[in-house]
Amino acid sequence: MRFADLAAAYEQLESTPKRLEMRRILTELVRPLRPPELPYVLFLSQGALRPEYEAVELGVAASLARRAVARATGVPETTVAQRTESNGDLGTTAYDLVAALHRLDAGEPLTVEAVYRTLRDIAGATGAGSQDAKVDRLTDLLARASPLEAKYLVRFVLGTLRVGVREMSLLDALATAFADGSKEARGRIEAAYNLSSDLGLVATALVEGGLPALDAIRLEVGRPIRPMLAEREPTLAAILERMGGSAALEYKYDGLRVQAHLFEDGSVRLFSRRLEEISAQFPELRRALPAAVGRRPAILEGECVPIDPETDEIRPFQEVSRRRGRKHDLDVAQEEVPVCLFAFDLLLLGGEPVLHRPFPERRRLLAEALRPGEKVRLADQRIVRSLEEATEFFELALAEGAEGVVAKSLAEGSGYRAGARGFWWIKYKRDYTAGLSDSIDGVVVGGFHGRGRRAGRFGAYLLAVYDPARDRFETFCKVGSGFDDAALAELPKRLHGRERDARPEGVESGIVPDRWFEPGLVLEVRGAELTLSPVHRAAQGAVRPGAGLALRFPRFTGRIRDDKGPTEATTSKELLSMYQAQVRQATSGPPSAGAT
Ligand code: AMP
């Protein structure tokens, strides 16, 4: 195919807002094509050179493209820049400048194949002198281009191709051009795409072997599968009803979804939910995974969550997001924000795809295949058969730092649905965006030995509120965040003389710290919200038998409340009214509050 035909199709696509018309144009565009041209056109139309997960980047900055336009048209770079400044698009500038040349003989017409290969060369140029090489190649293409070709070449290179072709429209076009266009054909094509994330591969198989050839496309290690997605329901009761009375509830960890591909030789590639390769960001997971899963090749999915190295508690998601896209200072990042992968699904094991098996079986295989360690663990799960059980597990999830639960169907048909959102998975989380506006003054009743950078000191403290009616100190959180080096050095001095080997009289706690402290020192903390807890004892039984109150994501504000004695700390009753205010706020909020 001549590149001019592709550029003309783009021009048409850009000028029509009608979906049906777009579909017709795309279908006509792909119909005459065969491999290898067909995949080229599919990739180019998505503004890419290869499937997204391969992350092949052209690496041509706007300044380089400007230089190439200037050179190819013999116009000074400043003029190119000025014109682009006023019309807002270097592609349009390229069109105008090439048109003004009135080229009579531009030589051999450009073909899609030649353009594609040159673009691959441009992408492949790295290292010293690569910028010049990129500009040279682009200049050559532009020197041979018609105005329209130049416009779309430049836009492609800059990533501003605005023809609005989404992968779903391309799948439609493939179904019409190379199959009977039926819903069934479209479904099979999409299924193959969801499994392989590679439109070029799917189109090639379809053209060469028809629909049956798609069945040969299998899940393969190194090629990410499009992730299964969760639906939502407003209440746990609605979830149970949908799932026929019972379900597997899992903690919904608030982190980064990771698809881990483990090769036979122990090498690992990690992909994000959007199928970007994120292997470089998590070297510690790449190291830990082969030790955790012996039966390889394997593909598993999990949520990558920051973990406080001192307290082993789940940290807020923002801390892991800081590591995305970060390629330098990885050692620093690992120490600052250590992460743990909570594995929740298994798609391939020992080279065998297991994704079509019902979820309970996949979970069993995952549990059997995984040797959990510090960095890779199994997602917490419980099979629930009543609303009571579901509520209890949900509260436990919140108490332990998860953002809610994901309910998973136990039904026969609960195979992994690549790329699909459905009621086989239903998410439910509490809306706690309001946060806790009040700070809490907690009494230090225990300390935990630090690890890593905090080795040899206390890395976290156990805090309690005071119940004047019973003269008791009841724990409500273990706080390890918000302490700078000065505070870490200062606190043991302040606590000197209060150390105890056994739990001091009057302290109530379901947790045993490394060191007890006689209540005395008061610290100010803040947190995200109050939750019910099976281990903390603040206002125990006031909301539900056996449950105490706990502060989620506690953080030391930096303020030691020297002005307060232990009995002047926040009381259990105050904590209870904060909890009740929070519940009122949640239930009287907009209808969407309660589950997002
Ligand atoms: P959302 O991003 O709100 O649509 O919720 C679904 C996401 O929750 C998934 O894409 C995962 O990243 C995340 N997640 C956390 N824990 C789990 C779990 N146990 N099972 C499935 N997804 C989970």
Side-chain angles (χ1 to χ4, degrees):
M1 178 183 258
R2 290 176 1 157
F3 188 64
D5 296 334
L6 186 58
Y10 288 164
E11 187 77 354
Q12 277 185 307
L13 283 168
E14 203 181 76
S15 64
T16 177
K18 297 196 199 105
R19 266 183 62 91
L20 275 180
E21 177 64 7
M22 282 182 72
R23 195 162 154 181
R24 191 194 58 75
I25 299 167
L26 281 175
T27 307
E28 294 318 311
L29 173 67
V30 298
R31 201 191 294 278
L33 297 175
R34 294 293 173 270
E37 248 181 359
L38 176 60
Y40 296 164
V41 167
L42 294 174
F43 293 136
L44 290 173
S45 304
Q46 289 180 288
L49 290 172
R50 290 288 303 152
E52 204 186 340
Y53 72 85
E54 287 187 17
V56 175
E57 305 267 349
L58 275 167
V60 177
S63 57
L64 294 191
R66 228 170 20 231
R67 199 181 312 157
V69 171
R71 279 215 233 143
T73 56
V75 171
E77 241 184 284
T78 46
T79 312
V80 177
Q82 275 160 8
R83 292 181 78 131
T84 307
E85 180 95 347
S86 65
N87 68 23
D89 171 31
L90 184 60
T92 305
T93 306
Y95 181 98
D96 294 343
L97 294 177
V98 172
L101 291 176
H102 301 294
R103 275 189 198 133
L104 290 178
D105 177 18
E108 282 280 295
L110 288 170
T111 62
V112 166
E113 194 161 344
V115 169
Y116 180 85
R117 289 189 191 286
T118 309
L119 291 171
R120 281 298 301 258
D121 286 346
I122 292 176
T126 52
S130 64
Q131 307 258 316
D132 288 338
K134 286 176 196 279
V135 174
D136 288 350
R137 293 208 164 92
L138 187 56
T139 305
D140 286 348
L141 281 181
L142 289 169
R144 293 170 57 194
S146 71
L148 208 56
E149 288 174 321
K151 170 173 159 183
Y152 287 102
L153 262 175
V154 166
R155 286 196 184 165
F156 179 86
V157 164
L158 293 181
T160 57
L161 203 61
R162 286 172 294 219
V163 292
V165 181
R166 278 186 237 298
E167 57 213 15
M168 291 304 144
S169 321
L170 291 171
L171 292 171
D172 286 341
L174 291 177
T176 316
F178 301 113
D180 60 8
S182 66
K183 225 173 147 185
E184 198 237 327
R186 169 71 170 74
R188 284 174 73 176
I189 296 169
E190 185 175 339
Y193 172 62
N194 285 336
L195 210 55
S196 64
S197 313
D198 186 338
L199 264 183
L201 181 86
V202 172
T204 302
L206 184 63
V207 169
E208 287 175 351
L211 288 172
L214 297 179
D215 300 339
I217 295 181
R218 311 233 305 170
L219 183 60
E220 237 172 57
V221 70
R223 207 168 58 194
I225 175 170
R226 310 217 325 128
M228 175 164 179
L229 301 171
E231 268 293 350
R232 63 184 84 193
E233 282 285 5
T235 60
L236 286 169
I239 292 177
L240 275 180
E241 197 182 315
R242 268 249 187 228
M243 298 209 159
S246 63
L249 289 200
E250 291 183 354
Y251 282 12
K252 185 176 193 302
Y253 302 93
D254 185 11
L256 197 68
R257 186 169 184 163
V258 170
Q259 201 180 109
H261 289 236
L262 285 75
F263 292 81
E264 196 152 14
D265 65 1
S267 58
V268 173
R269 289 177 71 184
L270 307 172
F271 298 98
S272 73
R273 175 194 178 120
R274 295 185 49 215
L275 311 186
E276 297 156 328
E277 178 148 15
I278 48 171
S279 307
Q281 276 94 301
F282 299 103
E284 75 273 45
L285 291 184
R286 290 204 322 269
R287 273 195 298 274
L289 276 160
V293 184
R295 285 180 65 193
R296 299 189 295 264
I299 302 177
L300 56 87
E301 265 199 302
E303 191 84 354
C304 175
V305 185
I307 290 281
D308 190 315
E310 273 81 31
T311 64
D312 212 35
E313 286 170 321
I314 296 176
R315 299 292 315 147
F317 168 66
Q318 292 80 305
E319 299 185 5
V320 80
S321 62
R322 276 195 309 200
R323 289 196 43 183
R324 291 198 65 181
R326 188 163 167 172
K327 300 211 172 77
H328 307 293
D329 305 327
L330 274 176
D331 291 344
V332 180
Q334 274 179 66
E335 203 184 312
E336 268 174 30
V337 194
V339 295
C340 171
L341 184 72
F342 286 94
F344 59 70
D345 216 321
L346 181 71
L347 309 178
L348 185 102
L349 183 65
E352 269 305 298
V354 296
L355 75 162
H356 299 298
R357 307 208 193 163
F359 176 66
E361 201 181 326
R362 299 204 304 281
R363 166 76 185 194
R364 183 177 55 74
L365 289 172
L366 176 64
E368 283 168 11
L370 194 74
R371 274 189 303 278
E374 199 186 330
K375 298 280 172 221
V376 186
R377 309 179 198 180
L378 196 60
D380 269 292
Q381 187 197 79
R382 187 180 294 171
I383 306 292
V384 298
R385 295 192 170 78
S386 68
L387 183 57
E388 216 175 9
E389 285 174 351
T391 307
E392 193 186 303
F393 189 73
F394 173 64
E395 277 163 3
L396 190 67
L398 293 187
E400 298 219 322
E403 62 169 348
V405 289
V406 183
K408 299 187 175 176
S409 167
L410 302 169
E412 199 44 42
S414 57
Y416 192 89
R417 310 281 161 120
R421 190 181 290 286
F423 286 98
W424 303 96
W425 283 10
I426 307 177
K427 59 189 172 183
Y428 179 74
K429 59 185 188 187
R430 165 111 44 90
D431 183 21
Y432 53 88
T433 45
L436 279 185
S437 48
D438 279 354
S439 61
I440 300 169
D441 297 322
V443 187
V444 179
V445 297
F448 298 86
H449 295 319
R451 290 196 265 162
R453 253 180 347 111
R454 295 186 182 178
R457 308 176 179 187
F458 288 113
Y461 290 93
L462 185 61
L463 300 188
V465 285
Y466 181 58
D467 179 2
R470 297 166 57 237
D471 189 26
R472 292 281 194 215
F473 292 94
E474 306 162 343
T475 64
F476 71 95
C477 76
K478 177 174 165 185
V479 57
S481 290
F483 298 101
D484 58 19
D485 283 335
L488 287 174
E490 174 74 5
L491 288 173
K493 290 185 204 152
R494 298 293 194 99
L495 289 161
H496 188 64
R498 295 188 178 277
E499 299 92 337
R500 299 287 179 273
D501 288 327
R503 181 164 53 83
E505 176 61 29
V507 170
E508 292 197 1
S509 173
I511 298 179
V512 180
D514 294 314
R515 202 83 164 119
W516 292 101
F517 292 112
E518 188 65 42
L521 189 69
V522 179
L523 303 182
E524 185 185 74
V525 290
R526 283 182 184 279
E529 65 169 346
L530 290 164
T531 57
L532 292 180
S533 157
V535 293
H536 287 297
R537 295 286 156 84
Q540 191 177 30
V543 180
R544 253 228 338 259
L549 294 179
L551 180 65
R552 194 162 174 241
F553 297 148
R555 189 172 191 85
F556 175 47
T557 63
R559 207 162 151 213
I560 301 177
R561 295 301 306 253
D562 282 317
D563 54 333
K564 286 194 168 186
T567 57
E568 290 152 274
T570 300
T571 64
S572 319
K573 218 167 145 191
E574 285 177 285
L575 207 65
L576 181 61
S577 56
M578 283 168 85
Y579 176 81
Q580 285 160 342
Q582 183 189 290
V583 171
R584 274 197 303 278
Q585 199 175 21
T587 48
S588 64
S592 65
T596 59

